[in-house]
Amino acid sequence: TQHKRDFEKFRQVMLPLWRHTLQVEWPQSDARVSFSPLRKGDGFQAATFRIRGSGNEQELSGIRYTPAQSNRAGTASPPLVLLVHADGARPYCDSADNPLGLARLLLLRGCAVMVITDFTATPIADPFANFYTTYNRTLLQHRVRDLLTVCSSVGRLSLAGGSKPRLVLCGEGRAGLWA
């Protein structure tokens, strides 16, 4: 159909621009994923995870929550929602790593939720001085790379051997641009 042809043309033009501007490649399928043991909470199960991306010596970490019982009607599997905030997991988890706010609401609606607790480290420098972006990645580029690493690892982040879920990215504040 016309829409498919338009989308393919758009993709042919925009994908190289996206790769060049953000300095990333897709997919990064050789990321290494590790989990902590599953723990049970009030109406949810959780496991912390660590991902080391391809060619990256730094790790990022997060928490994967699943509802204790599915509250969704029908046979369609619920989406996995990746919540992203510039402050990491603080808006979505308490000090004991129990879900809060939007994360808790999504769990109550039967969705699995992931939050990133620690992004990869980025050097702090003035990106507007001395042609910084000529040779260095900006914070935006680092965070987009982190999200691509998580997205490409979603199949390995499925708990209990489940199938690869449909992923929904939800970025709040500055992180909306990353997502």
Side-chain angles (χ1 to χ4, degrees):
T1 67
Q2 182 64 33
H3 293 316
K4 286 183 181 181
R5 286 192 301 271
D6 289 346
F7 177 72
E8 185 58 34
K9 186 176 180 180
F10 174 82
R11 196 169 68 97
Q12 287 175 351
V13 170
M14 295 308 292
L15 193 57
L17 295 172
W18 180 71
R19 285 181 181 145
H20 178 73
T21 302
L22 296 174
Q23 298 180 10
V24 293
E25 290 291 329
W26 178 272
Q28 301 170 344
S29 59
D30 58 344
R32 294 185 305 265
V33 178
S34 61
F35 280 101
S36 69
L38 194 65
R39 72 177 176 88
K40 295 183 186 275
D42 182 25
F44 68 91
Q45 298 177 32
T48 58
F49 62 87
R50 295 193 178 285
I51 303 172
R52 185 179 305 263
S54 62
N56 192 352
E57 296 305 316
Q58 300 174 357
E59 288 184 333
L60 62 95
S61 59
I63 305 170
R64 164 86 192 253
Y65 298 102
T66 54
Q69 297 177 4
S70 178
N71 298 336
R72 295 176 62 94
T75 59
S77 63
L80 169 60
V81 181
L82 174 57
L83 297 175
V84 186
H85 197 282
D87 293 333
R90 197 170 42 218
Y92 309 117
C93 304
D94 64 17
S95 59
D97 289 339
N98 294 314
L100 294 173
L102 182 57
R104 184 81 176 154
L105 179 63
L106 289 166
L107 283 167
L108 291 173
R109 292 193 176 199
C111 296
V113 175
M114 275 194 318
V115 296
I116 297 176
T117 54
D118 295 301
F119 291 98
T120 57
T122 54
I124 298 174
D126 181 3
F128 302 105
N130 301 324
F131 304 103
Y132 177 86
T133 58
T134 303
Y135 301 104
N136 302 290
R137 287 189 174 90
T138 64
L139 180 63
L140 170 70
Q141 291 167 327
H142 280 282
R143 295 302 170 253
V144 168
R145 178 176 290 232
D146 288 345
L147 292 180
L148 286 174
T149 300
V150 172
C151 290
S152 68
S153 302
V154 163
R156 286 174 272 167
L157 290 170
S158 296
L159 299 178
S163 62
K164 185 176 178 177
R166 181 173 59 97
L167 180 64
V168 176
L169 299 178
C170 177
E172 291 188 77
R174 288 184 322 198
L177 184 58
W178 309 342

